[in-house]
Amino acid sequence: MANLNLVKDGPIQVKGSFELKGPDGNPIDCKEQIFLCRCGATNNKPFCDGSHSKSGFSD
Ligand code: FES
């Protein structure tokens, strides 16, 4: 089971047991903890690359 946590003004933290699939339906290799972008500014989709701090994203 995966646990989701919204990081203030940042990504979604996903921890635990889960499988991430790309738009083609194939699994994306990832670790037991990942940070998914929710601001849209990342250059490494679907993962957060820290760009949210420069983009001024807040939530
Ligand atoms: S949430 Fe970090 S780059 Fe988008």
Side-chain angles (χ1 to χ4, degrees):
M1 174 186 259
N3 292 314
L4 305 178
N5 178 47
L6 296 182
V7 177
K8 180 168 175 36
D9 302 335
I12 302 170
Q13 178 189 38
V14 185
K15 290 170 52 174
S17 178
F18 59 89
E19 182 178 62
L20 183 65
K21 291 184 178 178
D24 57 3
N26 291 322
I28 296 174
D29 188 32
C30 53
K31 301 175 182 168
E32 290 182 6
Q33 175 179 271
I34 59 172
F35 293 87
L36 297 174
C37 176
R38 64 184 180 114
C39 76
T42 184
N43 290 308
N44 187 29
K45 292 181 180 177
F47 304 104
C48 171
D49 68 355
S51 295
H52 56 270
S53 58
K54 294 180 219 155
S55 72
F57 176 71
S58 65
D59 182 30

